[in-house]
Each structure stands twice: as structure tokens, then as C-alpha cells.
Amino acid sequence: MDLQQWLVAALAIFCMGLAKGGFGAMSMLMMPLMVLVMAPTEAAAVTLPILVVMDMIALWRFKGTWSKPHLKIILPFACVGIVIGTLTFRYIDEQGLKLMLGVICLAFIALYLWGRFKGGEQKHASPKEGAFWSTLAGFASFATHAGGPPVAVYLLRQGLAPINLVGTTTIFFVVVNLVKLVPYYFLGLFTLEGISKSVWLLPIAPIGILLGHWLLQRFEAERFYKLSYAMLAVIGVKLIFDALQGS
């Protein structure tokens, strides 16, 4: 990687580290930033091993706090989504992946704004809704590591305590990212060059996690969220523009 590529990629991994440290919304910045400096398929392959390492750190922090009844719904259907992603991956070109990621970015912001506008309590989502959203989460996670928003649509409506919500989300992505290693390998997405990039970027991850945890104790998370949403909107629009122009 040249210096510019490494700096942008390092910022992307740092944002994911902040997310694992407590600023969850920052996770949506990782792939859009990575795609600015490398192809979507390469970005997905480079970041997946790093995500697995960060997941293991998060799993240690939140062990035993997840909701087993909800995991029984969302994990099997997330695997269905991964299978769908594996079978359709060859039919989606680079511009299609950029377009998908850009739309997910803007949809995530729209859901956030709608939640703030609507306010109040929402009714619990049904298991059928959980099946739909977790399947979509598995597919989006496989294609662009963007499974967070779909699964959040379901889990945020279950009335879980904050620690249980974080714990359930954590174990969900531990399993999902480990499962994704298998199709990524058989699709030939892992290369020696990509793995070397993962190794160079890996030290950024724990720095982001530790700093995120430190900041969470001292600053209001809402300020960081607003900044991340603003950045996400700009990047999402750029990805959609580049995809449409490239196609």
C-alpha cells in the first residue's frame, strides 16, 4: 500500500475499533472508507481477519451477556443470508457492490433519523421479522461487512437491557464473521498480498478499541454519532455517484 491508501485504510480500521470500544455507529464507516482506496472485494477480504480478532476481544469483554432466545432466531437465518451471498457473489460486479454499500449507508442514516423523528416505544418485532432482518444482515455482512443495521432493526425492538443488546450483537458477529471465513476462502478472496495488508493494519484495531472505551467514559457518545452520520452521508453519496458513473 502507498501512504495515502494505508492512512485511509488505517482510519477505517480505527473507526471499527472505536465501534468495538463502545461507539457502535462508527462501525458503518469502515467499509465505505476502505472502498475509497481499494476494490470492494479486496477491502472485504483484507478487513475480515481483523474483524475476527476484534470480535474475540469484544467477546471476552461481554461474555455471558447475550440473549440465547434471540440468538436462536437470528443466527440460523444469518447463515442463510451468507449462503445467498456466496451463491450470488460472482454476479455482482465492483460497481454493484459500491452501489449496494452506498445505499446501505444512506438507509442506515434514514433509519436513525426516522427513529429520532418518531420517538416513543416501538412494538416488539416478531420472530418472522427477525428471520427477515437477520437473513438480510447475513447477506449484507457477507458482501460488504454491513450487517449491523439490519440486525439492529430487529434487536432494538426487543426491549433488551443495554448490556444484553451489546452482548447479543457481539456474539452474533463473532459467529457470522467466523462462518464467512469459509466461503471467502473457497471463493479465492484471500491472497498473500491481502493478508499482508491485514497484518500491517491489525495493530490499529486494539488502539481504536482502547481509545473508544476510554472516550466512552469521558465524552458524550451522541457527538461522535452525529459526526459519524455526517461522514457516512458524504461517503454514501460518493459511492453511489461513483457506482453509477462507473457503470
Side-chain angles (χ1 to χ4, degrees):
M1 291 185 289
D2 59 35
L3 180 59
Q4 179 183 1
Q5 187 182 37
W6 189 89
L7 288 174
V8 175
L11 176 61
I13 300 303
F14 181 73
C15 287
M16 178 56 79
L18 288 177
K20 298 292 184 182
F23 294 93
M26 298 293 285
S27 65
M28 281 298 296
L29 285 170
M30 182 188 71
M31 277 296 288
L33 284 169
M34 292 289 289
V35 171
L36 293 178
V37 292
M38 61 182 72
T41 51
E42 182 186 11
V46 167
T47 53
L48 182 55
I50 302 173
L51 287 175
V52 170
V53 173
M54 287 195 285
D55 285 338
M56 295 306 165
I57 297 174
L59 180 63
W60 175 78
R61 287 185 58 208
F62 297 106
K63 58 183 178 181
T65 61
W66 45 81
S67 170
K68 291 181 180 179
H70 292 98
L71 287 173
K72 289 179 180 179
I73 296 173
I74 60 179
L75 280 178
F77 285 99
C79 291
V80 171
I82 293 173
V83 171
I84 294 173
T86 303
L87 296 176
T88 60
F89 189 74
R90 294 298 187 188
Y91 301 100
I92 305 175
D93 61 10
E94 179 177 333
Q95 304 307 324
L97 286 172
K98 283 186 177 181
L99 180 61
M100 181 190 304
L101 188 55
V103 169
I104 290 174
C105 289
L106 299 186
F108 181 63
I109 295 170
L111 285 171
Y112 166 75
L113 294 176
W114 175 249
R116 290 182 65 89
F117 171 77
K118 190 174 182 180
E121 294 291 330
Q122 299 184 58
K123 66 177 182 179
H124 279 32
S126 68
K128 288 183 179 180
E129 291 178 277
F132 169 77
W133 288 112
S134 54
T135 300
L136 182 59
F139 177 80
S141 181
F142 177 87
T144 61
H145 298 324
V151 77
V153 172
Y154 172 69
L155 288 178
L156 287 173
R157 295 167 59 190
Q158 300 310 302
L160 295 171
I163 187 66
N164 298 122
L165 175 64
V166 175
T168 303
T169 304
T170 297
I171 192 65
F172 175 80
F173 282 109
V174 167
V175 175
V176 165
N177 286 330
L178 285 174
V179 171
K180 281 156 50 178
L181 289 172
V182 178
Y184 269 49
Y185 172 79
F186 284 106
L187 286 171
L189 297 180
F190 293 127
T191 64
L192 288 177
E193 181 183 357
I195 292 173
S196 69
K197 291 179 180 179
S198 300
V199 171
W200 278 103
L201 290 168
L202 183 59
I204 305 296
I207 296 174
I209 294 173
L210 292 173
L211 183 58
H213 184 69
W214 183 83
L215 289 172
L216 190 63
Q217 313 302 316
R218 291 162 176 80
F219 296 97
E220 183 183 353
E222 187 66 20
R223 294 182 181 179
F224 288 88
Y225 286 164
K226 289 179 179 178
L227 176 61
S228 67
Y229 291 133
M231 292 174 62
L232 197 60
V234 173
I235 295 173
V237 170
K238 179 178 179 2
L239 287 173
I240 292 174
F241 177 79
D242 289 348
L244 295 176
Q245 193 174 43
S247 60

